[in-house]
Amino acid sequence: FLRIQLLLYVGLKKAKVVYSVRMKEIVETAVLQDEPLPFIEATPGRICLKDRRSKTEIGAVAFTRIGGPQHPDRKLLVNKFDVIPRHQGRGYGKMLMTELKRILDTEQRTGVLSVHADNRRAQAFYTDEGWEFDDSVRDTLPNKGQRADHLQLWMIRDPEA
């Protein structure tokens, strides 16, 4: 529990309080279900949430940084954000999102992601986490943000100062 809290500590009292409250809910759920808490493993371009016992992946975020330190329009393009279906609904997506937002805010980058037009649950999750719909961002990305599926909606999140 302490390791996860330290890894995700943002440095802002407000963020820490909000995260601590959510973490308390996750801990209570894990205790009730006799599950060990997962841990976060971060590597360049990837955040992975792993099961403490088996070390298997529960969920992950993969991303690409666009624009160097001096670039005026620095972005972080989220290529993948998922939690394995049998682990959904336990707060693990929020744990991954907390770490992703910490990176966005620390590096002062605008987060960009796409979500399938039919995936209302994911859209609600991202909106609750501070992301906004903005299809105009597509034109600012390499290859014009083209994906195999044209039924994508684009969302952004600006870094907090």
Side-chain angles (χ1 to χ4, degrees):
F1 171 70
L2 290 176
R3 180 175 177 196
I4 292 172
Q5 190 172 19
L6 289 174
L7 286 172
L8 298 178
Y9 178 70
V10 192
L12 302 171
K13 288 183 181 181
K14 179 181 174 187
K16 186 177 181 196
V17 168
V18 169
Y19 181 72
S20 293
V21 168
R22 182 65 191 140
M23 198 58 204
K24 184 175 184 278
E25 293 171 17
I26 293 170
V27 169
E28 288 171 355
T29 302
V31 169
L32 289 174
Q33 297 176 358
D34 194 31
E35 295 176 8
L37 288 173
F39 66 96
I40 287 187
E41 183 177 273
T43 57
R46 193 165 201 283
I47 305 165
C48 185
L49 189 64
K50 292 190 172 184
D51 180 89
R52 195 166 291 284
R53 285 186 189 141
S54 66
K55 308 292 190 261
T56 57
E57 187 175 296
I58 293 172
V61 179
F63 53 87
T64 305
R65 290 174 175 89
I66 300 172
Q70 305 304 319
H71 197 278
D73 191 26
R74 297 162 33 104
K75 291 185 173 57
L76 189 140
L77 176 61
V78 178
N79 303 310
K80 169 187 173 181
F81 190 111
D82 67 357
V83 174
I84 294 173
R86 67 187 167 131
H87 293 286
Q88 291 177 358
R90 299 180 187 178
Y92 298 150
K94 288 188 181 282
M95 289 176 71
L96 288 167
M97 182 59 75
T98 299
E99 180 65 8
L100 177 63
K101 290 192 299 190
R102 185 196 64 76
I103 292 168
L104 291 170
D105 295 342
T106 301
E107 296 183 12
Q108 288 295 292
R109 291 181 182 271
T110 298
V112 179
L113 60 80
S114 68
V115 60
H116 197 278
D118 293 338
N119 193 343
R120 301 281 186 232
R121 184 176 176 189
Q123 292 172 30
F125 171 74
Y126 295 132
T127 302
D128 289 347
E129 292 294 325
W131 294 74
E132 299 175 358
F133 290 100
D134 184 352
D135 203 46
S136 68
V137 75
R138 175 192 314 256
D139 295 331
T140 68
L141 300 174
N143 299 325
K144 300 292 183 202
Q146 294 184 10
R147 301 272 177 125
D149 187 346
H150 65 282
L151 297 174
Q152 298 292 320
L153 300 175
W154 290 87
M155 301 183 82
I156 64 167
R157 179 190 177 272
D158 290 321
E160 292 183 4

mmCIF file with all atom_site columns, all heavy atoms in Angstrom, residues 102-118:
data_model
loop_
_atom_site.group_PDB
_atom_site.id
_atom_site.type_symbol
_atom_site.label_atom_id
_atom_site.label_alt_id
_atom_site.label_comp_id
_atom_site.label_asym_id
_atom_site.label_entity_id
_atom_site.label_seq_id
_atom_site.pdbx_PDB_ins_code
_atom_site.Cartn_x
_atom_site.Cartn_y
_atom_site.Cartn_z
_atom_site.occupancy
_atom_site.B_iso_or_equiv
_atom_site.pdbx_formal_charge
_atom_site.auth_seq_id
_atom_site.auth_comp_id
_atom_site.auth_asym_id
_atom_site.auth_atom_id
_atom_site.pdbx_PDB_model_num
ATOM 1   N N   . ARG A 1 102 ? -0.283  12.126 -13.475 1.00 0.00 ? 102 ARG A N   1
ATOM 2   C CA  . ARG A 1 102 ? 0.934   12.614 -12.813 1.00 0.00 ? 102 ARG A CA  1
ATOM 3   C C   . ARG A 1 102 ? 2.022   12.891 -13.846 1.00 0.00 ? 102 ARG A C   1
ATOM 4   O O   . ARG A 1 102 ? 2.690   13.918 -13.810 1.00 0.00 ? 102 ARG A O   1
ATOM 5   C CB  . ARG A 1 102 ? 1.438   11.602 -11.775 1.00 0.00 ? 102 ARG A CB  1
ATOM 6   C CG  . ARG A 1 102 ? 2.628   12.127 -10.968 1.00 0.00 ? 102 ARG A CG  1
ATOM 7   C CD  . ARG A 1 102 ? 3.351   11.021 -10.238 1.00 0.00 ? 102 ARG A CD  1
ATOM 8   N NE  . ARG A 1 102 ? 3.972   10.056 -11.126 1.00 0.00 ? 102 ARG A NE  1
ATOM 9   C CZ  . ARG A 1 102 ? 5.112   10.266 -11.814 1.00 0.00 ? 102 ARG A CZ  1
ATOM 10  N NH1 . ARG A 1 102 ? 5.746   11.403 -11.727 1.00 0.00 ? 102 ARG A NH1 1
ATOM 11  N NH2 . ARG A 1 102 ? 5.610   9.319  -12.580 1.00 0.00 ? 102 ARG A NH2 1
ATOM 12  N N   . ILE A 1 103 ? 2.178   11.986 -14.804 1.00 0.00 ? 103 ILE A N   1
ATOM 13  C CA  . ILE A 1 103 ? 3.172   12.172 -15.864 1.00 0.00 ? 103 ILE A CA  1
ATOM 14  C C   . ILE A 1 103 ? 2.818   13.394 -16.710 1.00 0.00 ? 103 ILE A C   1
ATOM 15  O O   . ILE A 1 103 ? 3.686   14.231 -17.018 1.00 0.00 ? 103 ILE A O   1
ATOM 16  C CB  . ILE A 1 103 ? 3.287   10.907 -16.738 1.00 0.00 ? 103 ILE A CB  1
ATOM 17  C CG1 . ILE A 1 103 ? 3.906   9.764  -15.927 1.00 0.00 ? 103 ILE A CG1 1
ATOM 18  C CG2 . ILE A 1 103 ? 4.096   11.176 -17.997 1.00 0.00 ? 103 ILE A CG2 1
ATOM 19  C CD1 . ILE A 1 103 ? 3.814   8.400  -16.586 1.00 0.00 ? 103 ILE A CD1 1
ATOM 20  N N   . LEU A 1 104 ? 1.555   13.524 -17.106 1.00 0.00 ? 104 LEU A N   1
ATOM 21  C CA  . LEU A 1 104 ? 1.121   14.669 -17.909 1.00 0.00 ? 104 LEU A CA  1
ATOM 22  C C   . LEU A 1 104 ? 1.421   15.982 -17.187 1.00 0.00 ? 104 LEU A C   1
ATOM 23  O O   . LEU A 1 104 ? 1.945   16.924 -17.788 1.00 0.00 ? 104 LEU A O   1
ATOM 24  C CB  . LEU A 1 104 ? -0.372  14.584 -18.219 1.00 0.00 ? 104 LEU A CB  1
ATOM 25  C CG  . LEU A 1 104 ? -0.820  13.485 -19.170 1.00 0.00 ? 104 LEU A CG  1
ATOM 26  C CD1 . LEU A 1 104 ? -2.342  13.390 -19.182 1.00 0.00 ? 104 LEU A CD1 1
ATOM 27  C CD2 . LEU A 1 104 ? -0.288  13.724 -20.565 1.00 0.00 ? 104 LEU A CD2 1
ATOM 28  N N   . ASP A 1 105 ? 1.087   16.046 -15.913 1.00 0.00 ? 105 ASP A N   1
ATOM 29  C CA  . ASP A 1 105 ? 1.276   17.277 -15.165 1.00 0.00 ? 105 ASP A CA  1
ATOM 30  C C   . ASP A 1 105 ? 2.756   17.566 -14.906 1.00 0.00 ? 105 ASP A C   1
ATOM 31  O O   . ASP A 1 105 ? 3.198   18.706 -15.024 1.00 0.00 ? 105 ASP A O   1
ATOM 32  C CB  . ASP A 1 105 ? 0.515   17.213 -13.836 1.00 0.00 ? 105 ASP A CB  1
ATOM 33  C CG  . ASP A 1 105 ? -0.995  17.146 -14.043 1.00 0.00 ? 105 ASP A CG  1
ATOM 34  O OD1 . ASP A 1 105 ? -1.475  17.484 -15.149 1.00 0.00 ? 105 ASP A OD1 1
ATOM 35  O OD2 . ASP A 1 105 ? -1.701  16.744 -13.101 1.00 0.00 ? 105 ASP A OD2 1
ATOM 36  N N   . THR A 1 106 ? 3.523   16.544 -14.584 1.00 0.00 ? 106 THR A N   1
ATOM 37  C CA  . THR A 1 106 ? 4.955   16.723 -14.332 1.00 0.00 ? 106 THR A CA  1
ATOM 38  C C   . THR A 1 106 ? 5.681   17.202 -15.574 1.00 0.00 ? 106 THR A C   1
ATOM 39  O O   . THR A 1 106 ? 6.513   18.099 -15.520 1.00 0.00 ? 106 THR A O   1
ATOM 40  C CB  . THR A 1 106 ? 5.584   15.397 -13.833 1.00 0.00 ? 106 THR A CB  1
ATOM 41  O OG1 . THR A 1 106 ? 4.924   14.998 -12.635 1.00 0.00 ? 106 THR A OG1 1
ATOM 42  C CG2 . THR A 1 106 ? 7.064   15.553 -13.568 1.00 0.00 ? 106 THR A CG2 1
ATOM 43  N N   . GLU A 1 107 ? 5.360   16.607 -16.719 1.00 0.00 ? 107 GLU A N   1
ATOM 44  C CA  . GLU A 1 107 ? 6.035   16.965 -17.974 1.00 0.00 ? 107 GLU A CA  1
ATOM 45  C C   . GLU A 1 107 ? 5.348   18.114 -18.705 1.00 0.00 ? 107 GLU A C   1
ATOM 46  O O   . GLU A 1 107 ? 5.800   18.520 -19.767 1.00 0.00 ? 107 GLU A O   1
ATOM 47  C CB  . GLU A 1 107 ? 6.103   15.740 -18.889 1.00 0.00 ? 107 GLU A CB  1
ATOM 48  C CG  . GLU A 1 107 ? 6.938   14.620 -18.313 1.00 0.00 ? 107 GLU A CG  1
ATOM 49  C CD  . GLU A 1 107 ? 7.056   13.429 -19.255 1.00 0.00 ? 107 GLU A CD  1
ATOM 50  O OE1 . GLU A 1 107 ? 6.690   13.548 -20.447 1.00 0.00 ? 107 GLU A OE1 1
ATOM 51  O OE2 . GLU A 1 107 ? 7.533   12.379 -18.785 1.00 0.00 ? 107 GLU A OE2 1
ATOM 52  N N   . GLN A 1 108 ? 4.235   18.625 -18.138 1.00 0.00 ? 108 GLN A N   1
ATOM 53  C CA  . GLN A 1 108 ? 3.472   19.713 -18.750 1.00 0.00 ? 108 GLN A CA  1
ATOM 54  C C   . GLN A 1 108 ? 3.139   19.398 -20.208 1.00 0.00 ? 108 GLN A C   1
ATOM 55  O O   . GLN A 1 108 ? 3.416   20.167 -21.128 1.00 0.00 ? 108 GLN A O   1
ATOM 56  C CB  . GLN A 1 108 ? 4.226   21.049 -18.635 1.00 0.00 ? 108 GLN A CB  1
ATOM 57  C CG  . GLN A 1 108 ? 4.241   21.596 -17.218 1.00 0.00 ? 108 GLN A CG  1
ATOM 58  C CD  . GLN A 1 108 ? 2.847   21.969 -16.739 1.00 0.00 ? 108 GLN A CD  1
ATOM 59  O OE1 . GLN A 1 108 ? 2.252   22.900 -17.243 1.00 0.00 ? 108 GLN A OE1 1
ATOM 60  N NE2 . GLN A 1 108 ? 2.318   21.226 -15.774 1.00 0.00 ? 108 GLN A NE2 1
ATOM 61  N N   . ARG A 1 109 ? 2.521   18.242 -20.423 1.00 0.00 ? 109 ARG A N   1
ATOM 62  C CA  . ARG A 1 109 ? 2.097   17.804 -21.747 1.00 0.00 ? 109 ARG A CA  1
ATOM 63  C C   . ARG A 1 109 ? 0.576   17.704 -21.798 1.00 0.00 ? 109 ARG A C   1
ATOM 64  O O   . ARG A 1 109 ? -0.060  17.385 -20.798 1.00 0.00 ? 109 ARG A O   1
ATOM 65  C CB  . ARG A 1 109 ? 2.684   16.434 -22.094 1.00 0.00 ? 109 ARG A CB  1
ATOM 66  C CG  . ARG A 1 109 ? 4.179   16.440 -22.316 1.00 0.00 ? 109 ARG A CG  1
ATOM 67  C CD  . ARG A 1 109 ? 4.675   15.045 -22.687 1.00 0.00 ? 109 ARG A CD  1
ATOM 68  N NE  . ARG A 1 109 ? 6.107   15.039 -22.861 1.00 0.00 ? 109 ARG A NE  1
ATOM 69  C CZ  . ARG A 1 109 ? 6.724   15.288 -24.013 1.00 0.00 ? 109 ARG A CZ  1
ATOM 70  N NH1 . ARG A 1 109 ? 6.030   15.552 -25.092 1.00 0.00 ? 109 ARG A NH1 1
ATOM 71  N NH2 . ARG A 1 109 ? 8.042   15.269 -24.083 1.00 0.00 ? 109 ARG A NH2 1
ATOM 72  N N   . THR A 1 110 ? 0.024   17.947 -22.980 1.00 0.00 ? 110 THR A N   1
ATOM 73  C CA  . THR A 1 110 ? -1.395  17.740 -23.205 1.00 0.00 ? 110 THR A CA  1
ATOM 74  C C   . THR A 1 110 ? -1.598  16.276 -23.550 1.00 0.00 ? 110 THR A C   1
ATOM 75  O O   . THR A 1 110 ? -0.942  15.750 -24.445 1.00 0.00 ? 110 THR A O   1
ATOM 76  C CB  . THR A 1 110 ? -1.894  18.627 -24.365 1.00 0.00 ? 110 THR A CB  1
ATOM 77  O OG1 . THR A 1 110 ? -1.712  19.996 -23.994 1.00 0.00 ? 110 THR A OG1 1
ATOM 78  C CG2 . THR A 1 110 ? -3.359  18.375 -24.658 1.00 0.00 ? 110 THR A CG2 1
ATOM 79  N N   . GLY A 1 111 ? -2.484  15.616 -22.841 1.00 0.00 ? 111 GLY A N   1
ATOM 80  C CA  . GLY A 1 111 ? -2.790  14.217 -23.124 1.00 0.00 ? 111 GLY A CA  1
ATOM 81  C C   . GLY A 1 111 ? -3.783  14.119 -24.268 1.00 0.00 ? 111 GLY A C   1
ATOM 82  O O   . GLY A 1 111 ? -4.715  14.928 -24.372 1.00 0.00 ? 111 GLY A O   1
ATOM 83  N N   . VAL A 1 112 ? -3.569  13.149 -25.150 1.00 0.00 ? 112 VAL A N   1
ATOM 84  C CA  . VAL A 1 112 ? -4.448  12.924 -26.294 1.00 0.00 ? 112 VAL A CA  1
ATOM 85  C C   . VAL A 1 112 ? -4.755  11.434 -26.364 1.00 0.00 ? 112 VAL A C   1
ATOM 86  O O   . VAL A 1 112 ? -3.846  10.606 -26.257 1.00 0.00 ? 112 VAL A O   1
ATOM 87  C CB  . VAL A 1 112 ? -3.771  13.362 -27.619 1.00 0.00 ? 112 VAL A CB  1
ATOM 88  C CG1 . VAL A 1 112 ? -4.685  13.096 -28.803 1.00 0.00 ? 112 VAL A CG1 1
ATOM 89  C CG2 . VAL A 1 112 ? -3.355  14.816 -27.574 1.00 0.00 ? 112 VAL A CG2 1
ATOM 90  N N   . LEU A 1 113 ? -6.035  11.107 -26.526 1.00 0.00 ? 113 LEU A N   1
ATOM 91  C CA  . LEU A 1 113 ? -6.397  9.701  -26.697 1.00 0.00 ? 113 LEU A CA  1
ATOM 92  C C   . LEU A 1 113 ? -7.603  9.606  -27.607 1.00 0.00 ? 113 LEU A C   1
ATOM 93  O O   . LEU A 1 113 ? -8.313  10.581 -27.835 1.00 0.00 ? 113 LEU A O   1
ATOM 94  C CB  . LEU A 1 113 ? -6.659  9.021  -25.353 1.00 0.00 ? 113 LEU A CB  1
ATOM 95  C CG  . LEU A 1 113 ? -7.759  9.550  -24.437 1.00 0.00 ? 113 LEU A CG  1
ATOM 96  C CD1 . LEU A 1 113 ? -9.145  9.079  -24.871 1.00 0.00 ? 113 LEU A CD1 1
ATOM 97  C CD2 . LEU A 1 113 ? -7.491  9.105  -23.020 1.00 0.00 ? 113 LEU A CD2 1
ATOM 98  N N   . SER A 1 114 ? -7.811  8.427  -28.139 1.00 0.00 ? 114 SER A N   1
ATOM 99  C CA  . SER A 1 114 ? -9.020  8.198  -28.929 1.00 0.00 ? 114 SER A CA  1
ATOM 100 C C   . SER A 1 114 ? -9.814  7.090  -28.258 1.00 0.00 ? 114 SER A C   1
ATOM 101 O O   . SER A 1 114 ? -9.255  6.206  -27.609 1.00 0.00 ? 114 SER A O   1
ATOM 102 C CB  . SER A 1 114 ? -8.671  7.811  -30.366 1.00 0.00 ? 114 SER A CB  1
ATOM 103 O OG  . SER A 1 114 ? -8.066  6.544  -30.419 1.00 0.00 ? 114 SER A OG  1
ATOM 104 N N   . VAL A 1 115 ? -11.114 7.190  -28.394 1.00 0.00 ? 115 VAL A N   1
ATOM 105 C CA  . VAL A 1 115 ? -12.006 6.196  -27.811 1.00 0.00 ? 115 VAL A CA  1
ATOM 106 C C   . VAL A 1 115 ? -13.055 5.862  -28.866 1.00 0.00 ? 115 VAL A C   1
ATOM 107 O O   . VAL A 1 115 ? -13.482 6.728  -29.626 1.00 0.00 ? 115 VAL A O   1
ATOM 108 C CB  . VAL A 1 115 ? -12.642 6.727  -26.501 1.00 0.00 ? 115 VAL A CB  1
ATOM 109 C CG1 . VAL A 1 115 ? -13.442 7.984  -26.734 1.00 0.00 ? 115 VAL A CG1 1
ATOM 110 C CG2 . VAL A 1 115 ? -13.480 5.668  -25.817 1.00 0.00 ? 115 VAL A CG2 1
ATOM 111 N N   . HIS A 1 116 ? -13.441 4.599  -28.926 1.00 0.00 ? 116 HIS A N   1
ATOM 112 C CA  . HIS A 1 116 ? -14.423 4.171  -29.926 1.00 0.00 ? 116 HIS A CA  1
ATOM 113 C C   . HIS A 1 116 ? -15.754 4.866  -29.666 1.00 0.00 ? 116 HIS A C   1
ATOM 114 O O   . HIS A 1 116 ? -16.183 5.024  -28.523 1.00 0.00 ? 116 HIS A O   1
ATOM 115 C CB  . HIS A 1 116 ? -14.600 2.644  -29.884 1.00 0.00 ? 116 HIS A CB  1
ATOM 116 C CG  . HIS A 1 116 ? -15.255 2.103  -31.100 1.00 0.00 ? 116 HIS A CG  1
ATOM 117 N ND1 . HIS A 1 116 ? -16.618 2.118  -31.257 1.00 0.00 ? 116 HIS A ND1 1
ATOM 118 C CD2 . HIS A 1 116 ? -14.740 1.577  -32.228 1.00 0.00 ? 116 HIS A CD2 1
ATOM 119 C CE1 . HIS A 1 116 ? -16.928 1.600  -32.430 1.00 0.00 ? 116 HIS A CE1 1
ATOM 120 N NE2 . HIS A 1 116 ? -15.793 1.261  -33.040 1.00 0.00 ? 116 HIS A NE2 1
ATOM 121 N N   . ALA A 1 117 ? -16.406 5.287  -30.726 1.00 0.00 ? 117 ALA A N   1
ATOM 122 C CA  . ALA A 1 117 ? -17.663 6.032  -30.621 1.00 0.00 ? 117 ALA A CA  1
ATOM 123 C C   . ALA A 1 117 ? -18.749 5.255  -29.878 1.00 0.00 ? 117 ALA A C   1
ATOM 124 O O   . ALA A 1 117 ? -19.624 5.858  -29.257 1.00 0.00 ? 117 ALA A O   1
ATOM 125 C CB  . ALA A 1 117 ? -18.146 6.422  -32.016 1.00 0.00 ? 117 ALA A CB  1
ATOM 126 N N   . ASP A 1 118 ? -18.718 3.937  -29.922 1.00 0.00 ? 118 ASP A N   1
ATOM 127 C CA  . ASP A 1 118 ? -19.734 3.115  -29.251 1.00 0.00 ? 118 ASP A CA  1
ATOM 128 C C   . ASP A 1 118 ? -19.402 2.793  -27.792 1.00 0.00 ? 118 ASP A C   1
ATOM 129 O O   . ASP A 1 118 ? -20.234 2.244  -27.085 1.00 0.00 ? 118 ASP A O   1
ATOM 130 C CB  . ASP A 1 118 ? -19.923 1.794  -30.003 1.00 0.00 ? 118 ASP A CB  1
ATOM 131 C CG  . ASP A 1 118 ? -20.539 1.989  -31.373 1.00 0.00 ? 118 ASP A CG  1
ATOM 132 O OD1 . ASP A 1 118 ? -21.200 3.033  -31.582 1.00 0.00 ? 118 ASP A OD1 1
ATOM 133 O OD2 . ASP A 1 118 ? -20.361 1.108  -32.231 1.00 0.00 ? 118 ASP A OD2 1
#
